């Protein structure tokens, strides 16, 4: 259940094998409208045979600006940095670090620590209106739990950077990782 009106709690969800190292599967939930559309994402414990959600969140992240819509997309791809912990990626398609609706994707390394987390890495748009982070996906290497690539969508991206609104056809960026 969301913690405030119009928080849009549950707009995006994902499961994590074990974010905090307690042996219990976790649930990742985005609330892009939280905090006046700054956005928020939370990690909750799933416990018991019924997969009942425990009320208290294990960890959370909040966008530091006014209208990032952090949590519009959430993804728990597995282990990105190869340290054996499960990591998460959060999309903030309205992040405005370089202009209106530029967007960003933020990566949080799984540390096993509870509380509020700041991003450990980010992939940010280079121009306004790209909406980077509107969608997220990852792939693992054959026979491996380590993430090999991360796909980040931006529906407003202008591939030829011409600046014309009608040219904003969208794009997907592919980022590769190595073991």
């Amino acid at each position: 259940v969301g913690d405030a009106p119009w928080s849009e709690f549950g707009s995006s969800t994902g499961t994590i094998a074990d974010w905090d190292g307690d042996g219990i599967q976790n649930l990742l939930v985005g609330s892009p409208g939280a905090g006046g559309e700054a956005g928020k994402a939370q990690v909750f414990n799933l416990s018991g045979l019924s997969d009942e959600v425990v009320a208290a969140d294990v960890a959370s992240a909040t966008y530091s600006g006014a209208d990032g819509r952090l949590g519009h997309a959430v993804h728990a791809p597995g282990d990105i940095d190869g340290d054996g912990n499960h990591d998460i990626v959060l999309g903030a398609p309205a992040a405005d670090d370089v202009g209106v609706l530029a967007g960003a994707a933020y990566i949080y390394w799984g540390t096993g620590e509870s509380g509020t987390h700041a991003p450990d890495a980010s992939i940010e748009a280079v121009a306004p209106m790209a909406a980077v982070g509107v969608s997220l996906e990852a792939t693992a290497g054959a026979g491996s739990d380590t993430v090999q690539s991360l796909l980040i969508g931006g529906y407003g991206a202008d591939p030829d950077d011409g600046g014309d609104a009608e040219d904003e056809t969208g794009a997907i960026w592919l980022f590769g990782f190595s073991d």
Side-chain angles (χ1 to χ4, degrees), residues 37-61:
E37 296 200 9
K40 180 179 183 177
Q42 295 167 276
V43 176
F44 296 92
N45 274 331
L46 293 176
S47 62
L49 296 176
S50 66
D51 286 340
E52 181 178 305
V53 177
V54 174
D57 59 330
V58 172
S60 64

Side-chain angles (χ1 to χ4, degrees), residues 85-170:
N85 295 317
H86 293 270
D87 306 314
I88 60 174
V89 183
L90 306 177
D96 56 4
D97 295 335
V98 297
V100 176
L101 292 176
Y106 298 100
I107 302 171
Y108 299 79
W109 307 135
T111 62
E113 297 176 9
S114 60
T116 302
H117 291 260
D120 294 297
S122 64
I123 299 168
E124 301 174 4
V126 295
M129 304 304 291
V132 169
V134 73
S135 61
L136 305 165
E137 187 59 63
T139 63
S144 170
D145 289 335
T146 302
V147 174
Q148 295 297 308
S149 61
L150 179 62
L151 297 165
I152 301 172
Y155 63 77
D158 183 358
D160 66 3
D161 198 26
D164 299 326
E166 62 271 2
D167 290 342
E168 295 169 348
T169 57

